[in-house]
Amino acid sequence: TAAGWNELATPPPGAIGYAQEGIVTHFADRLAAAVRRCGNPVMVGLDPRWEQLPACLRADLDPRDLAAAAHAYGAFCRDVIDVVAPLVAVVKPQAAFFEQLGPPGMAALADVIAYASGAGLLVVVDGKRNDIGTTAAAYAEAYLGPGRLSVWGGDALTVSPYLGADSLEPFVELAVQRAAGIFVLVKTSNPGGGLFQDLVTTDGAALYQRVAAFVQQAAQRTAGSCGYGAVGAVVGATYPEQLAALRQAMPNTWFLVPGYGAQGAGARDVRDAFDSTGLGAVVNNSRGIIFAYQRREYQERYHEAQWQLAVEAATRVMIEQLRSETPAGKLGKEITDEE
């Protein structure tokens, strides 16, 4: 590891990635514990878009002033975190929206990751990174590891599989060492994903099924005490039949499920993503929560200056929908108005 990082001690049985400064347990176990504690599998995506920010955050600012825009993005995301941290287990900042602002944007991303971690949330950095050899290892070094275990402090990172197994192994290896996780793109939620993912291979399986088999093997060999591995899968809610089949084929794999809300999927579409206890998946909602103040049902209840109240209301609605329509209802905890 690079100078300045704590050396990782050999973990005792049943745990991976203990650091000298304090115990950091297996990523899948931390995710399972956090989901159980909150009683729901909601993941809030942090996708700041200039034109959708509440007017109070961009008033008198010039979007061409990258430092000012980055400051607004950071303030917006911190305000979202303040609302959702008591309600959900995990957030997913989308790196692209920060990267487009250059160095000030990347500084804002670092601040948002640290702020979310400080609020007790797990942070999945949505960067969809990959390359081969030392480049893959460099991406892994940069993003994987909570707190001081990596320079970005991510609990997990989204990763593309299409450079092959040798491109994924550096991510898997470092995730295990640092009690972090990765989510590999398996069956994505976008309409065009099938162009390559659904191609039939020589053994009759679709390409995404071949990827799924590799991910399941990696998840099984990196499994924590909860039975799920450090290697997860991105599986879209917009393809519920494939989602159900992949759950059966990948029993040790945490799913990150995009496509809920603005992309058209609902609670019934994701019910087969979970195991019988309500674990196994986190369901992402970005625009439908963070920009809820622009949705008709919340425009009638809240002024734009009350946009955080709309964020809270939309988060609670999603929690209750997932509880009533999916096995996540077995997680049990009630989010009351007092919380």
Side-chain angles (χ1 to χ4, degrees), residues 10 33 39 43-44 53 67 75 91-92 94 121 138 160 186 230 302 325:
T10 302
M43 165 187 275
V44 177
L53 293 185
V91 292
K92 181 176 69 65
Q94 170 51 260
L121 292 161
S160 172
V186 173
Y302 305 113
E325 300 280 355

Side-chain angles (χ1 to χ4, degrees), residues 145-240:
R148 295 174 59 194
L149 295 179
S150 70
V151 294
W152 284 98
D155 292 283
L157 175 70
T158 57
V159 175
S160 172
Y162 290 105
L163 278 76
D166 58 335
S167 74
L168 291 174
E169 283 302 330
F171 292 94
V172 177
E173 186 176 324
L174 204 63
V176 168
Q177 290 178 18
R178 294 186 180 171
I182 63 172
F183 287 95
V184 180
L185 305 180
V186 173
K187 180 64 177 168
T188 58
S189 59
N190 59 305
L195 179 64
F196 300 126
Q197 295 166 20
D198 292 351
L199 289 174
V200 178
T201 62
T202 54
D203 63 359
L207 181 57
Y208 78 85
Q209 293 172 314
R210 294 286 298 274
V211 176
F214 175 88
V215 171
Q216 164 57 21
Q217 291 174 358
Q220 189 172 29
R221 65 183 168 88
T222 63
S225 60
C226 68
Y228 287 99
V231 183
V234 176
V235 182
T238 49
Y239 299 99

Side-chain angles (χ1 to χ4, degrees), residues 76 190 296 306:
F76 173 71
N190 59 305
R296 180 176 300 176
Q306 298 174 303

Side-chain angles (χ1 to χ4, degrees), residues 47-115:
D47 297 14
R49 293 169 168 85
W50 178 262
E51 64 280 2
Q52 291 185 275
L53 293 185
C56 58
L57 294 179
R58 51 189 172 93
D60 302 322
L61 297 179
D62 184 347
R64 295 170 296 182
D65 182 342
L66 299 183
H71 178 78
Y73 278 19
F76 173 71
C77 290
R78 289 192 300 272
D79 286 348
V80 171
I81 289 165
D82 287 343
V83 173
V84 303
L87 303 176
V88 306
V90 57
V91 292
K92 181 176 69 65
Q94 170 51 260
F97 293 108
F98 297 90
E99 289 174 2
Q100 68 179 343
L101 300 181
M106 298 309 286
L109 174 61
D111 179 66
V112 167
I113 293 171
Y115 192 82

Side-chain angles (χ1 to χ4, degrees), residues 269-320:
D269 298 307
V270 303
R271 59 188 173 189
D272 291 324
F274 303 95
D275 66 24
S276 60
T277 70
L279 290 177
V282 286
V283 182
N284 183 72
N285 192 346
S286 300
R287 288 170 285 171
I289 285 179
I290 66 174
F291 300 125
Y293 80 97
Q294 295 179 326
R295 293 166 55 184
R296 180 176 300 176
E297 62 266 41
Y298 299 113
Q299 286 177 333
E300 297 172 352
R301 295 165 57 187
Y302 305 113
H303 298 297
E304 185 171 353
Q306 298 174 303
W307 67 271
Q308 285 177 286
L309 295 178
V311 168
E312 180 180 2
T315 303
R316 291 180 182 277
V317 167
M318 182 175 173
I319 289 170
E320 293 309 318

